Amino acid sequence: MKPKVTVVGAGNVGAQCAYRLAQRGAADVTLIDVVEGLPQGKALDMSQAGAVDGFDALITGTNNYADTKESAVVVITAGLARKPGMSRDDLIGKNAAIMKSVVENSVKHSPHAVLLIVTNPLDVMTHYARRISGYPANRVLGMAPLLDAARMQYFIADTCKCSIKDVYAEVLGSHGDLMVPVPRLSTVKGKPITELLTAEQIKAIVDKTTNGGAEIVALLKSGSAYYAPGSAAAAMAEAIVTDSKKVISSCVQLSGQYGIKNVYLGAPAKLGKAGVEEVLEIELTAAEKGALQNAAQAVQALYPVLP
Ligand code: TXD
């Protein structure tokens, strides 16, 4: 039997995450939402796509948490998305209320699961989910740095006119204005972009990466990005259920790394069955470390706003 991954929220990101998980084949998927019929309808549609795309995963849609029992990973995408002009932090009140009820219901039925948070504001919601669940920090993490790095990879590939597959991008910090893209450690086939591009081109890439989500929100006019976010969440859930030990930048609780303690922030992490199995500390310049510490302060300043 395959391990079970529950995806909470059958909206844009949740559906893409469930579909990519089903296609990738490492897990059976349960999709749950408060809206009746929505997860069931999407689960049927995805299952039937298996005939065309050649996959066999079991995808179940439900409104009942009893069906999520004994999940190995619970991906939480439930909550409101940004509208044009809104910051991610504007979502905090409404999404905290949703997060509380989702986490309480999820942990009741899957007491050993790893919780993978997607709902915004990401860094704050991941901290909140850990608090509500009472789980150890290794079993609660968030998806965003992988997405932010994917966006940076795209902008580098677009600037260099090269394949995105040859590009590596390093992004740390928070999923917001204080994100820390690191050009020095971002490469095309191993060559740092600082040796390939002008300072002006690099600044444009950093700015576009930081505003990558807002650019899509402004274009879509209702809702926010979901293809890359859903794919990123699926890749992380798969890395966990397959005990892959892959190093994937994730929103993790820092415990002294980079001089930061007890704050959830983006950093490279080894993922496996236990969730976050190790947080890697890469060597940063004083300026990069300072930027990371600023992000930590801004995220931590929002903790008292939580109920
Ligand atoms: O990098 C990242 N972490 C992000 C985060 C990238 C993209 C989107 N990001 C955030 O994910 C976004 O700001 C939102 O907070 C969430 C979900 O975004 P999505 O685009 O999927 O929003 P939708 O399409 O509105 O879907 C949300 C679903 C919808 O079907 C609701 O009915 C459901 O959440 N919902 C719930 N499901 C279960 N339980 C409860 N309580 C609930 N409340 C709402």
Side-chain angles (χ1 to χ4, degrees):
M1 213 173 77
K2 289 182 188 173
K4 177 153 123 188
V5 174
T6 284
V7 179
V8 186
N12 283 336
V13 178
Q16 165 74 358
C17 174
Y19 189 58
R20 289 297 295 135
L21 273 168
Q23 283 178 316
R24 294 171 79 110
D28 290 330
V29 184
T30 302
L31 187 59
I32 182 166
D33 201 287
V34 280
V35 179
E36 277 180 33
L38 181 74
Q40 292 87 342
K42 290 195 179 182
L44 273 175
D45 192 8
M46 289 177 203
S47 303
Q48 292 158 6
V52 183
D53 285 339
F55 63 85
D56 257 329
L58 181 67
I59 314 166
T60 310
T62 185
N63 305 113
N64 182 351
Y65 276 92
D67 296 325
T68 70
K69 77 168 190 299
E70 284 159 29
S71 298
V73 177
V74 178
V75 184
I76 301 180
T77 77
L80 305 184
R82 282 196 285 173
K83 297 202 171 70
M86 281 175 93
S87 89
R88 294 176 177 96
D89 294 347
D90 293 335
L91 301 168
I92 206 166
K94 291 212 164 97
N95 283 353
I98 293 171
M99 184 59 66
K100 184 166 190 288
S101 89
V102 168
V103 169
E104 284 171 352
N105 281 307
S106 299
V107 304
K108 205 180 328 165
H109 293 92
S110 301
H112 307 294
V114 173
L115 304 181
L116 175 56
I117 310 305
V118 177
T119 305
N120 270 325
L122 191 270
D123 307 273
V124 180
M125 285 301 135
T126 309
H127 158 86
Y128 190 52
R130 198 201 76 74
R131 206 180 90 198
I132 298 296
S133 65
Y135 283 3
N138 63 294
R139 285 209 282 130
V140 185
L141 73 165
M143 185 291 293
L146 177 60
L147 167 67
D148 297 329
R151 287 177 172 157
M152 188 167 176
Q153 281 170 270
Y154 168 76
F155 292 124
I156 292 170
D158 192 45
T159 308
C160 294
K161 302 287 170 253
C162 67
S163 164
I164 200 166
K165 293 184 204 161
D166 289 333
V167 179
Y168 176 80
E170 191 69 71
V171 181
L172 311 170
S174 62
H175 185 53
D177 296 342
L178 296 178
M179 179 183 301
V180 186
V182 188
R184 193 176 57 83
L185 301 175
S186 300
T187 57
V188 178
K189 272 278 181 223
K191 200 167 167 89
I193 59 166
T194 44
E195 293 171 23
L196 286 170
L197 300 172
T198 65
E200 215 170 50
Q201 286 174 310
I202 291 171
K203 186 181 180 304
I205 288 168
V206 166
D207 290 348
K208 280 195 265 185
T209 301
T210 309
N211 296 317
E215 182 182 10
I216 294 173
V217 169
L219 287 165
L220 293 179
K221 296 185 183 72
S222 79
S224 55
Y226 53 97
Y227 289 112
S231 291
M236 289 176 70
E238 184 189 77
I240 295 165
V241 294
T242 57
D243 199 26
S244 70
K245 318 291 185 197
K246 275 190 182 164
V247 175
I248 297 183
S249 282
S250 309
C251 176
V252 293
Q253 190 176 59
L254 297 178
S255 52
Q257 299 89 347
Y258 307 99
I260 300 164
K261 241 189 187 159
N262 296 327
V263 184
Y264 266 94
L265 215 57
K270 193 196 284 175
L271 304 187
K273 270 214 167 90
V276 179
E277 302 198 343
E278 188 185 345
V279 175
L280 279 76
E281 196 164 5
I282 44 182
E283 195 127 341
L284 296 180
T285 63
E288 290 157 357
K289 212 167 173 180
L292 206 57
Q293 286 167 349
N294 278 347
Q297 274 174 15
V299 169
Q300 211 167 13
L302 290 169
Y303 289 176
V305 180
L306 290 165

